[in-house]
């Protein structure tokens, strides 16, 4: 009788762990989806452009997109949006795979 209770308890524990993993996975997927559906507007992109500009100014040298994103503490997508803004204004120049202030 004790074996059945132990087996049932182990099965219940395993099932609870699987359920918790599924819950966590669903939450992560929902967060990724929410992050992917952020609405960008001119004001938000302008702030990202400022972050990119400040990262390049602080570095005082040309940086890759990944380096800029890391220095500015923003995503690579946001870095690219900010770079587009700065390119249009003529504030940055690109050479090979690096970006520098104009």
């Amino acid at each position: 009788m004790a074996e059945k209770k132990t087996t049932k308890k182990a099965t219940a524990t395993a099932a609870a762990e699987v359920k918790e993993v599924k819950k966590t996975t669903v939450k992560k997927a929902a967060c990724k989806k929410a992050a992917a559906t952020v609405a960008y507007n001119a004001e938000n992109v302008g702030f990202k452009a400022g972050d990119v500009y400040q990262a390049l100014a602080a570095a005082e040298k040309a940086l890759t997109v990944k380096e800029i994103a890391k220095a500015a503490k923003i995503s690579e997508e946001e870095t690219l949006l900010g770079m587009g803004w700065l390119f249009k204004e003529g504030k940055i120049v690109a050479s090979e795979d690096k970006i520098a202030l104009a």
Side-chain angles (χ1 to χ4, degrees):
M1 193 68 127
E3 283 183 31
K4 284 186 179 181
K5 285 183 180 178
T6 306
T7 305
K8 285 183 181 180
K9 187 175 181 181
T11 304
T13 303
E17 288 174 1
V18 168
K19 191 174 182 179
E20 187 61 34
V21 168
K22 285 182 180 178
K23 237 190 236 183
T24 304
T25 304
V26 169
K27 284 181 183 177
K28 286 181 181 176
C31 287
K32 284 183 181 178
K33 185 176 181 181
T37 58
V38 171
Y40 290 106
N41 58 34
E43 184 178 13
N44 292 343
V45 176
F47 284 128
K48 300 308 172 192
D51 294 340
V52 170
Y53 190 90
Q54 291 298 322
L56 287 168
E60 297 180 349
K61 64 177 184 175
L63 300 173
T64 64
V65 173
K66 281 188 176 188
E67 292 170 335
I68 296 169
K70 186 176 179 181
K73 297 178 184 167
I74 58 177
S75 71
E76 288 185 37
E77 180 183 62
E78 293 169 328
T79 302
L80 293 171
L81 286 168
M83 284 173 48
W85 181 292
L86 294 171
F87 272 124
K88 184 160 174 42
E89 290 185 347
K91 304 276 185 188
I92 58 174
V93 293
S95 60
E96 293 179 32
D97 64 338
K98 300 225 176 191
I99 311 301
L101 294 177

